[in-house]
Every structure is written in structure tokens, then in C-alpha cells.
Amino acid sequence: MTEPRLPSSGPKHDAVHEAAVLANALPYLRRYAGDTIVVKYGGHAMGDIGLAKTFGRDIALLKQVGINPVVVHGGGPQINQMLKRLDIPSHFIDGLRVTDANVVDVIEMVLAGSVNKQVAELICEAGALAVGISGKDGKMITARKMRRTVRDMDSQIERVLDLGFVGEPVKVDPRVIYALSGSGLIPVIAPVGLGEDGETYNINADTAAGAVAGAVHATRLLMLTDVPGVLDKQGNLIPELTAAQARQAIEDGVITGGMIPKVETCIEAVQGGARGAVIIDGRMPHACLLELFTASGSGTLIRAE
């Protein structure tokens, strides 16, 4: 017994357009079949309910067409809300949050708890099976204390900033990721790592995603941001850069401010094993699909060479 056809929701040319979109996407579906795509999810795309639901459907779609998505998420606003709710003060040094034992407990509770499960639920609601985990599960992400140095402008003496339990990845063991993906599940990873002595470290979500993408040799790392991609000095989107060109753009002052660490993460990812890393605008609905399944893409692609 065949399923009844649904009535058309618009003019015939809309249906023709939809068919054309599917036909044009077919070569890209074949290109990425069986590949691993790591998606860093955060920013405006995470805070907007409509975009969040669209994101969940898009990630589910990737799995359903034979691609293996891996999601690494942030959660800064949610952490801030919980700290405020618990009346735990936040201390900053040169704009960086100092994460003491009390704060890191809250961060783990929020990232590996409520936020992690909410992201997994978005994907499950869309028809795929997602499992929320943290970088501590299976010793997936081994981390060390991150140290930052700053130079005093008057004395030119460098001093080390102690940010507490803020970490950076040392090693990513991808076996848990492979086990979940191979079982038809989508890993959703909270960026919390485990120190050599059992300490819990809060890791920047971009940095964690880059390390994961390199470790699993992802075909693409998709970095969802709140900007269209890397822009030149005239404000035009740069569609593609090699790692060397990206470094030069940083030195020349083309890439500035908060875009620098994102580009550096992409460079580290492609040098660590990922085939390409793309900075895309997460404020755009279906940003991941537009990047993967259209000829022009939707952001700035960074390759090793």
C-alpha cells in the first residue's frame, strides 16, 4: 500500500525548485558519504530557538544520508546564568575568566549536564540518535593547565596568568567517538577534559572541536560563528585560504581580534589531520548544509596547503 500524496503547499515551480535542489546536492552527498564531519556548535545559533531546531534537523539529516557528524558545543551564556543564580562571583584577568574549584564544578554541571543533553535532544527530536558525553568519558580528551603570558607595557616584563582550571587539549583518544558513530549514534561532546592527575579542566569549545577534528581526521571541521567568515580589509568574504596564507593574513592585520584564535584553531585542526576547516555563519539557517552541499559553500575554507 502506497502512502497518500500530500497536497502541494505552493505553486508547481516551488516543487520543481525543491527537486532541483536535491539533484544539485546529490554529487556532494556522494562525496561525503561515510566521512566524519565535526561541527562546533555555539554562539547565536545556539541561543535562538528556531535556529537550534533547524540545527538539530540538519545534523540528523547528515547522519541519515550516510555522513558521520560529531558535535562539540559551547555554553558560555548558560554558565554565566548558573553562576549568577548560585551567587558565585566571576573574576577576570585581562578579560579571561579565572576558573577556581567552585567555578569548574558549575561549568562541568552546566556543560556536561543540562546543555549537553539539550543539544542531544534537539537531534533526537529530529529523528536521529544522539548521545551526550563529555571529554572526560573514556578519557577522550586529556588536558593540561593552560598558561597565558602578558607583557607589562611599562617594564616589558612578561608575567604568567594563573587562570585556574582552564585547560587545553594534550591528546584526544577517538575510540569512544568511533564506537558511537559506528553504532549509528551521533556523539555530542561537552568541552571538559581530564588532567593527568584527575583534575577537571574547562576547555574552550573551539579549541576542543579543533583537537577532535584533527584526531578523527575529519573531512571537515565546521566552526559556527556569528560572522560570515574571514573578511578582507574591504569587508569582503575570503572564500578560501591555505594555512600559510591564513598566518600571513594574521601578521598583516587582515585577521584581527576574536577571529585570530578561531583561525588558529582551524590551522591546528588541518595540520593535526583534518582535511579542511570552515568558518561559517551560524546565524544563517541551514549553514552546515549550505557549506557541504553547494558549490560555493557558505564561509571561509582553510586547508593545510
Side-chain angles (χ1 to χ4, degrees):
M1 180 177 178
T2 59
E3 293 184 2
R5 289 174 61 87
L6 297 176
S8 174
S9 59
K12 180 178 264 188
H13 72 267
D14 287 347
V16 172
H17 174 71
E18 290 173 2
V21 169
L22 291 173
N24 290 333
L26 183 58
Y28 302 97
L29 294 173
R30 290 174 174 167
R31 174 190 296 178
Y32 293 111
D35 288 355
T36 298
I37 306 293
V38 176
V39 182
K40 186 272 172 171
Y41 178 50
H44 189 80
M46 197 172 189
D48 183 283
I49 295 176
L51 287 175
K53 289 184 177 295
T54 298
F55 174 82
R57 290 194 295 269
D58 289 352
I59 296 299
L61 175 63
L62 294 181
K63 190 68 174 181
Q64 290 159 354
V65 298
I67 297 170
N68 294 313
V70 177
V71 178
V72 180
H73 65 81
Q78 293 89 335
I79 292 170
N80 291 335
Q81 290 171 10
M82 183 58 72
L83 289 172
K84 185 176 181 180
R85 180 177 172 185
L86 297 175
D87 199 25
I88 298 176
S90 294
H91 302 288
F92 295 85
I93 300 178
D94 290 348
L96 299 171
R97 188 200 303 273
V98 177
T99 305
D100 60 22
N102 289 331
V103 173
V104 79
D105 284 345
V106 174
I107 288 173
E108 182 175 16
M109 176 181 68
V110 173
L111 287 181
S114 58
V115 174
N116 186 251
K117 306 315 173 191
Q118 287 167 7
V119 176
E121 185 179 355
L122 285 171
I123 300 168
C124 290
E125 286 177 349
L129 294 177
V131 177
I133 56 178
S134 83
K136 292 173 65 175
D137 293 316
K139 293 186 177 180
M140 186 196 317
I141 302 179
T142 302
R144 66 186 171 203
K145 186 185 185 71
M146 186 180 75
R147 295 191 178 277
R148 290 280 186 91
T149 59
V150 294
R151 185 184 297 274
D152 185 84
M153 297 302 295
D154 295 325
S155 64
Q156 293 299 306
I157 297 175
E158 286 190 346
R159 60 187 178 91
V160 177
L161 299 181
D162 185 354
L163 299 173
F165 294 95
V166 176
E168 57 187 2
V170 175
K171 176 186 175 183
V172 175
D173 185 338
R175 287 180 293 176
V176 172
I177 298 172
Y178 291 150
L180 293 172
S181 293
S183 299
L185 305 173
I186 299 173
V188 177
I189 305 170
V192 180
L194 192 64
E196 293 287 355
D197 296 325
E199 310 96 334
T200 296
Y201 285 107
N202 174 33
I203 303 171
N204 176 273
D206 289 352
T207 305
V212 168
V216 299
H217 300 281
T219 298
R220 287 289 184 271
L221 164 63
L222 304 183
M223 300 269 288
L224 271 64
T225 66
D226 290 343
V227 294
V230 180
L231 307 179
D232 62 21
K233 289 187 175 181
Q234 287 71 45
N236 300 312
L237 179 68
I238 302 174
E240 187 170 339
L241 291 166
T242 65
Q245 289 171 335
R247 284 200 193 89
Q248 190 62 52
I250 293 173
E251 292 181 12
D252 293 344
V254 175
I255 299 173
T256 60
M259 184 56 70
I260 292 177
K262 293 185 183 298
V263 170
E264 289 176 338
T265 292
C266 291
I267 292 172
E268 291 172 3
V270 297
Q271 292 182 335
R275 283 172 51 190
V278 193
I279 297 173
I280 60 178
D281 192 346
R283 300 169 301 179
M284 181 186 301
H286 307 296
C288 295
L289 302 187
L290 288 169
E291 172 55 36
L292 294 174
F293 300 146
T294 63
S296 60
S298 66
T300 301
L301 170 64
I302 297 176
R303 299 181 182 273
E305 58 182 30

